[in-house]
Amino acid sequence: MLSVRALGLAEKKYEEKETSLIDKVDKILKNHYSNGVKVKTLSLDLSDCKNINASYLDMWLEISVKSGTTELDLILHPIMDENYYSFPCSVLSDKAAASSIQTLFLASCVFQSTSTLGCLKRLKSLNLSMVHITEEGLGHFLSKCSALERLVVYGCSGIICLRIPWTLQQLKILHITTCKVIQMIVIDAPNLCTLYFDGGPLVEISVRNSSQLKDVSMWSDYLSAPGMLAYARARLPSITPNVESLTLRSYKENVDTPMLSSKLIHLKNLEIGVLGSSVEAFSPSYDVFSLVSFLDACPVLESFILWVEQDALRYNPAVVGNDEKYTSRKPECRHNSLRQVTIKGFCLAKSLVELTIHILESAPCLERLMLDTTRGCHRSSRFRALRGSGQCLPMTMTALAEAHKAVEFAGRYIAGRVPKGVEFQVIEPCSGCHTGDP
């Protein structure tokens, strides 16, 4: 990787940093070329350079990317002072690296697919990040990538309808992130296993052959995609009927999740995030208990994780402490395969308490119930453990007060309903880290 950090330039002032990076990269690549050193991997992180001349980039790619190059990363500044750099397709011609390139990552440039683009018969991973490319250009590009296994499209403008052709027989993973103008996704790739969609408006998705599509994640953008959970409940049974692992994140729901007859008969692992934001929380009338619709739709569901961020749900202080307000709802529904349930962000919202009670009364094979009142801030959280730190994440005074109340509620309304043999754990604020001190 040739970058500001890798070349020891991070401490320099911005103008000096930019000039020094261009100078060092230029010398290194010219030295390799003059000495006949073949470049197998070229990774250029030039995201700190706003003023780099396109002639430098053209020259570096021309002298470095040859037959035998297997990996190329070109990361440019997202806001160039001049026009966006137009990536030269000649670099990927049959006479250059087309026959050998296996991994390609392009960021913040223009890609105009031309006749000089060769057959990328060994390309397995393609990542296009904030690349200006047309639907036709991407279609031509993908037609040259018969061995592609992983495709990431992030923040790319100019694509309204994304078509994944049948010719991509080896494609296993598709990530589509923050493509604001996209309206339709048509997937013909017959062996796609993983679909990840994040941050754009709700779109029409068509999967012609979904037999291998087992892992699906959908995240809503809080500005453009209200109703993600309702959309997923209504549409996914027909779009991805064989899904086994499903992750959903929604910033705001303006309607309750509907009760429907359609099923996700193969779904084993379900994770739902009810996310808050400083812009807008969920509708005050949203009933989180309506998520029981997902549980009812999944006859073989084994694991359910519910994330509830602070301020995502609102509760009525008038019902807090009123035992009559916390009763079971819809006890006739049974979730016979459900064994593991985790609620991160357990709080005083009435419908959340009722959902927890419902799960306890309708899951006869339940083995473990964990209620995390710290929303993942406690060091015992598996997400904190991945950070490699023994310290907890900080919590605000408001979050601490709510967590302590939630612990009390868990003991008052949940603990006594836990069947014998079910492991029950309540994660509360850490006495060492969460003291409320600044």
Side-chain angles (χ1 to χ4, degrees):
M1 168 71 76
L2 297 178
S3 66
V4 163
R5 184 174 297 277
L7 296 175
L9 305 173
E11 301 303 320
K12 292 182 177 290
K13 294 182 179 179
Y14 181 80
E15 295 78 6
E16 185 181 358
K17 182 191 302 182
E18 186 175 62
T19 303
S20 298
L21 177 61
I22 294 172
D23 183 58
K24 287 203 172 198
V25 170
D26 190 58
K27 288 180 179 178
I28 290 171
L29 295 182
K30 283 181 177 178
N31 184 59
H32 277 63
Y33 178 68
S34 61
N35 289 299
V37 179
K38 287 190 174 182
V39 178
K40 187 175 181 180
T41 298
L42 179 61
S43 186
L44 294 173
D45 182 355
L46 306 173
S47 55
D48 288 281
C49 296
K50 290 180 64 176
N51 303 296
I52 189 167
N53 194 292
S55 61
Y56 277 102
L57 297 170
D58 288 341
M59 187 250 307
W60 292 342
L61 292 173
E62 181 181 353
I63 66 176
S64 302
V65 184
K66 304 288 186 182
S67 178
T69 301
T70 60
E71 181 177 348
L72 171 60
D73 300 338
L74 179 61
I75 306 169
L76 302 179
H77 195 285
I79 305 177
M80 301 285 283
D81 282 352
E82 302 296 332
N83 294 329
Y84 272 87
Y85 175 67
S86 183
F87 182 85
C89 284
S90 57
V91 171
L92 300 175
S93 69
D94 288 324
K95 294 181 179 180
S99 63
S100 61
I101 196 79
Q102 296 179 22
T103 301
L104 179 62
F105 179 19
L106 300 178
S108 303
C109 64
V110 175
F111 190 96
Q112 295 178 328
S113 187
T114 67
S115 58
T116 60
L117 183 65
C119 182
L120 306 169
K121 59 185 179 181
R122 289 188 173 85
L123 185 65
K124 295 183 178 181
S125 177
L126 174 61
N127 190 322
L128 301 176
S129 177
M130 291 186 289
V131 171
H132 296 260
I133 187 170
T134 64
E135 292 176 24
E136 294 76 16
L138 181 59
H140 182 246
F141 196 175
L142 294 180
S143 72
K144 302 284 187 174
C145 308
S146 59
L148 197 65
E149 298 177 1
R150 180 177 181 269
L151 173 61
V152 177
V153 182
Y154 171 80
C156 292
S157 60
I159 301 175
I160 296 176
C161 178
L162 175 62
R163 298 183 181 275
I164 308 299
W166 180 84
T167 52
L168 296 184
Q169 297 278 308
Q170 306 303 315
L171 188 67
K172 301 294 191 299
I173 300 172
L174 174 61
H175 281 215
I176 305 163
T177 306
T178 320
C179 294
K180 299 295 185 182
V181 300
I182 196 168
Q183 296 178 9
M184 179 178 290
I185 301 169
V186 179
I187 302 172
D188 284 336
N191 294 303
L192 188 69
C193 300
T194 299
L195 172 62
Y196 181 94
F197 178 82
D198 176 18
L202 296 179
V203 301
E204 185 65 28
I205 300 176
S206 171
V207 184
R208 302 288 172 83
N209 185 343
S210 60
S211 61
Q212 302 302 312
L213 186 52
K214 306 294 179 66
D215 186 1
V216 175
S217 295
M218 297 182 70
W219 292 52
S220 75
D221 182 309
Y222 64 79
L223 293 178
S224 60
M228 169 65 79
L229 301 181
Y231 169 89
R233 178 62 185 92
R235 299 286 290 118
L236 290 186
S238 60
I239 297 173
T240 60
N242 296 306
V243 65
E244 295 180 1
S245 180
L246 176 61
T247 300
L248 303 171
R249 295 284 193 273
S250 182
Y251 271 97
K252 54 182 179 180
E253 289 290 304
N254 48 17
V255 294
D256 292 343
T257 307
M259 292 298 297
L260 302 170
S261 60
S262 55
K263 302 290 184 181
L264 293 163
I265 61 174
H266 300 287
L267 189 64
K268 296 181 179 179
N269 302 295
L270 174 63
E271 183 169 345
I272 294 178
V274 178
L275 309 181
S277 76
S278 58
V279 178
E280 184 175 348
F282 273 43
S283 168
S285 62
Y286 180 74
D287 184 3
V288 75
F289 185 87
S290 67
L291 293 178
V292 77
S293 174
F294 280 100
L295 304 183
D296 290 350
C298 308
V300 298
L301 188 68
E302 298 176 359
S303 172
F304 176 48
I305 297 175
L306 176 60
W307 263 96
V308 181
E309 285 194 352
Q310 188 174 3
D311 299 327
L313 297 179
R314 300 172 184 173
Y315 64 89
N316 184 355
V319 303
V320 174
N322 187 339
D323 291 2
E324 295 181 357
K325 295 291 184 179
Y326 295 93
T327 58
S328 60
R329 289 163 59 180
K330 204 171 171 36
E332 67 275 11
C333 293
R334 307 290 287 177
H335 315 299
N336 294 321
S337 298
L338 191 58
R339 288 172 169 78
Q340 306 283 334
V341 175
T342 298
I343 299 178
K344 289 184 176 289
F346 181 78
C347 62
L348 277 60
K350 176 176 178 286
S351 59
L352 181 59
V353 175
E354 291 175 335
L355 177 62
T356 307
I357 292 172
H358 165 75
I359 290 172
L360 286 171
E361 295 182 350
S362 61
C365 295
L366 190 66
E367 298 173 355
R368 185 170 187 266
L369 172 65
M370 185 181 80
L371 306 179
D372 182 358
T373 66
T374 71
R375 297 185 170 89
C377 291
H378 195 283
R379 61 176 174 271
S380 64
S381 165
R382 66 185 178 94
F383 297 97
R384 274 300 297 157
L386 293 176
R387 299 171 186 262
S389 171
Q391 297 295 314
C392 300
L393 286 175
M395 297 178 66
T396 65
M397 294 296 291
T398 300
L400 272 174
E402 290 183 359
H404 286 302
K405 290 179 181 178
V407 171
E408 179 186 347
F409 263 55
R412 183 174 178 178
Y413 299 107
I414 305 299
R417 300 175 188 259
V418 178
K420 185 178 181 181
V422 175
E423 180 186 351
F424 178 53
Q425 181 183 12
V426 178
I427 296 180
E428 55 188 277
C430 173
S431 59
C433 302
H434 298 140
T435 62
D437 295 332

